[in-house]
Amino acid sequence: RDARYWGLQNHVYRLTLTRGPRILYVYPLGARRGATVSAEVRGPGLKPRAISIDVPADAGERFVAPVEQLGEATFAVGKHPELLEPAAEAASAPRVLNGRILEPGEIDEWTLLLEEKQSVTLDLAAAALGSPLDADLTIHDADGKQLAANDDRAPGQPDPLLTFTAPKAGSYFARVRDRYRSRGGPAFAYRLTAEPAAQ
């Protein structure tokens, strides 16, 4: 059942019955085309394990890698440079930011360097990639003032999507959290793609 006794068309699930340890989810959720990704795999009967996967240069939007005796690890594939949290440096577009809401109430913050009047599209993928995260995305200035926000991109599509134009050059902060402050864990992963907005 749903923790809040809710139900809608997008409240879907998969129940998998297997024997032995199996991969249920991976982190990060994706990788750059033509790169090698070091990923953490978890699942029933499976202690967290690191694997190394080579993503082909001609891979499509999804790459499924067989992992011996553990099933398959599926990755979203992109073309931009990728960062994992915690990121020591500020990011400029285009970039893919990979994170997890590990603890209830946790808020991830990413620093974005933008020029004056620069417009960027921030596209967060979580539910679309099988993550239980119901993400909320906000943009803040250096003083902490919220400048933009999005929760659901469309009815039945809980992943956020927004386009933001910087009023002046400087650092801006993208914050990601789960809509419900009581939720979090290793499975609550996301990919936040920041790229120049289409003209």
Side-chain angles (χ1 to χ4, degrees):
R1 65 171 176 85
D2 185 84
R4 291 175 174 258
Y5 295 94
W6 288 2
L8 286 170
Q9 293 92 334
N10 64 325
H11 285 56
V12 300
Y13 66 88
R14 295 177 64 190
L15 177 62
T16 303
L17 304 179
T18 64
R19 291 184 178 182
R22 302 294 289 179
I23 294 173
L24 186 59
Y25 54 88
V26 302
Y27 177 76
L29 295 176
R32 190 178 189 182
R33 191 171 284 109
T36 298
V37 57
S38 178
E40 176 186 298
V41 295
R42 292 175 178 251
L46 174 63
K47 293 181 179 180
R49 180 182 302 185
I51 61 172
S52 181
I53 299 294
D54 294 323
V55 180
D58 60 351
E61 293 184 355
R62 294 284 191 279
F63 177 64
V64 180
V67 181
E68 186 176 359
Q69 298 181 344
L70 296 178
E72 297 176 335
T74 301
F75 298 91
V77 178
K79 61 183 179 180
H80 303 312
E82 309 232 351
L83 286 177
L84 291 178
E85 68 166 335
E89 74 267 27
S92 56
R95 194 83 56 174
V96 179
L97 312 173
N98 295 278
R100 288 186 287 190
I101 303 301
L102 288 170
E103 302 290 339
E106 178 181 331
I107 299 175
D108 285 359
E109 183 174 88
W110 299 90
T111 303
L112 302 174
L113 290 179
L114 301 175
E115 300 296 329
E116 183 177 1
K117 303 302 181 182
Q118 181 180 357
S119 294
V120 292
T121 295
L122 300 172
D123 186 349
L124 189 146
L129 300 177
S131 170
L133 180 68
D134 188 352
D136 180 66
L137 174 64
T138 56
I139 306 297
H140 303 256
D141 64 14
D143 296 323
K145 180 181 178 182
Q146 182 175 304
L147 304 177
N150 186 252
D151 179 14
D152 297 349
R153 66 181 62 199
Q157 299 181 42
D159 289 338
L161 173 68
L162 63 81
T163 297
F164 172 72
T165 301
K168 61 181 181 180
S171 296
Y172 294 85
F173 304 92
R175 294 178 182 171
V176 180
R177 66 175 180 86
D178 190 83
R179 180 179 178 185
Y180 305 105
R181 303 299 179 94
S182 61
R183 305 197 317 152
F188 285 67
Y190 62 88
R191 282 169 63 79
L192 178 58
T193 300
E195 56 187 353
Q199 300 296 322

